[in-house]
């Protein structure tokens, strides 16, 4: 879960298609997860969260899936729009703690 | 509702100068976090305050960095003296213990130390 590296993985999708961004989290004790969207020059913006007692949670055009068995989190964006272009981070936190572990981020590029 | 407010948004300074970054958390939030973001290390937690009290400052790089939270609506992060390697984007985030523990980030201060 430590953020490293100079190069972010990039996902390119056609406008209107669905996007799936994946995240492998590091701590099996983590019980709360957030997806953030960070646009260029801005701070991370909360998108959706999920607790470990759930497998799936839906928002507006976004769905988060949690697989605790393999410590995997995914963010699905339906009908991807140009405004969805950004870097997406997952963050995990264990119960009773305040420290979040942030993923390295994935850059989403929406092609017109 | 106003989100987390940070100032300045951009700061360019020379090595050796003192830099002060400011943050106003979301009203009613009692937890405040300072982060630093770089390409090499991503988001790093510097310090965490709860009810204005510093709880964990283990992420503060060295003695040149200090942070204060004199009241529930204001916090500062100071670098003295600044060095080129301090160049980064500094984010402040706040959360409420009454809510879902979600952290809400400010727009950040982009610091460049020449």
């Amino acid at each position: 879960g430590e953020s490293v590296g100079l190069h972010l993985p990039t996902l390119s999708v056609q406008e209107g298609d669905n996007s799936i961004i994946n995240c492998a989290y590091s701590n099996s004790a983590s019980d709360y997860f957030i997806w953030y969207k960070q646009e260029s020059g801005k701070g991370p913006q909360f998108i959706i969260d999920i607790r470990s007692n759930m497998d799936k949670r839906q928002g507006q055009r976004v769905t988060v899936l949690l697989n605790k068995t393999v410590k995997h989190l995914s963010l699905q964006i339906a009908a991807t729009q140009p405004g969805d272009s950004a870097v997406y981070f997952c963050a995990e936190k264990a119960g009773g703690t305040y420290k979040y572990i942030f993923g390295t981020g994935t850059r989403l590029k929406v092609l017109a | 509702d106003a989100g987390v407010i940070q100032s300045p948004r951009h700061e360019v300074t020379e090595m050796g100068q003192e830099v002060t970054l400011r943050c106003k958390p979301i009203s009613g939030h009692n937890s405040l976090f300072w982060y630093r973001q770089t390409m090499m290390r991503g988001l790093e937690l510097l310090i965490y305050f709860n009810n204005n009290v510093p709880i964990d400052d283990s992420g503060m790089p060295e003695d040149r960095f200090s942070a204060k939270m004199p009241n529930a609506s204001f916090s500062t992060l100071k670098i003295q003296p600044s060095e080129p390697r301090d160049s980064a984007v500094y984010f402040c985030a706040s959360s409420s213990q009454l809510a879902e523990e979600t952290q809400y980030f400010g727009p950040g201060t982009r610091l460049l130390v020449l």
Side-chain angles (χ1 to χ4, degrees):
Chain A
E2 186 178 46
S3 297
V4 297
L6 295 168
H7 180 68
L8 292 177
T10 299
L11 175 66
S12 297
V13 298
Q14 287 294 136
E15 181 178 355
D17 287 353
N18 296 335
S19 302
I20 300 177
I21 300 170
N22 297 304
C23 176
Y25 65 91
S26 60
N27 186 357
S28 57
S30 292
D31 65 355
Y32 182 61
F33 306 86
I34 300 177
W35 277 102
Y36 285 99
K37 171 187 180 183
Q38 187 173 20
E39 296 175 273
S40 180
K42 297 184 179 180
Q45 176 188 0
F46 171 86
I47 301 175
I48 192 168
D49 60 357
I50 190 168
R51 291 203 174 274
S52 59
N53 60 354
M54 301 174 70
D55 296 324
K56 179 180 180 179
R57 192 171 187 206
Q58 288 185 292
Q60 186 178 13
R61 282 203 306 120
V62 295
T63 300
V64 55
L65 298 177
L66 175 63
N67 185 330
K68 296 180 288 293
T69 302
V70 295
K71 294 192 290 185
H72 184 267
L73 197 66
S74 69
L75 176 70
Q76 300 179 359
I77 304 174
T80 311
Q81 302 169 358
D84 295 327
S85 293
V87 175
Y88 290 81
F89 293 93
C90 64
E92 60 179 297
K93 188 176 78 67
T97 70
Y98 53 84
K99 277 191 175 178
Y100 281 86
I101 302 171
F102 289 87
T104 54
T106 296
R107 187 178 304 280
L108 176 65
K109 287 187 177 180
V110 181
L111 309 173
Chain B
D1 287 341
V4 175
I5 299 172
Q6 291 187 247
S7 65
R9 295 294 309 277
H10 303 272
E11 178 80 31
V12 181
T13 190
E14 292 186 345
M15 182 174 63
Q17 297 298 306
E18 177 180 297
V19 175
T20 300
L21 311 180
R22 297 172 177 79
C23 174
K24 176 179 169 55
I26 293 172
S27 178
H29 283 190
N30 52 9
S31 294
L32 185 139
F33 306 79
W34 281 101
Y35 289 90
R36 177 171 65 178
Q37 187 179 44
T38 61
M39 284 296 293
M40 285 298 294
R41 295 192 173 128
L43 273 167
E44 300 175 277
L45 177 65
L46 300 177
I47 187 167
Y48 159 59
F49 290 89
N50 188 49
N51 293 323
N52 313 337
V53 177
I55 303 300
D56 182 356
D57 65 355
S58 60
M60 297 285 262
E62 46 198 273
D63 292 345
R64 297 185 298 106
F65 285 68
S66 62
K68 294 181 180 180
M69 192 165 186
N71 57 63
S73 60
F74 183 67
S75 176
T76 60
L77 177 68
K78 184 178 293 186
I79 309 173
Q80 166 63 18
S82 59
E83 297 182 2
R85 59 189 168 131
D86 301 330
S87 298
V89 182
Y90 291 82
F91 289 106
C92 176
S94 70
S95 68
S96 167
Q97 290 175 342
L98 298 177
E100 292 291 322
E101 305 169 57
T102 305
Q103 289 189 15
Y104 295 91
F105 283 78
T109 295
R110 282 143 190 83
L111 173 64
L112 177 61
V113 183
L114 302 174

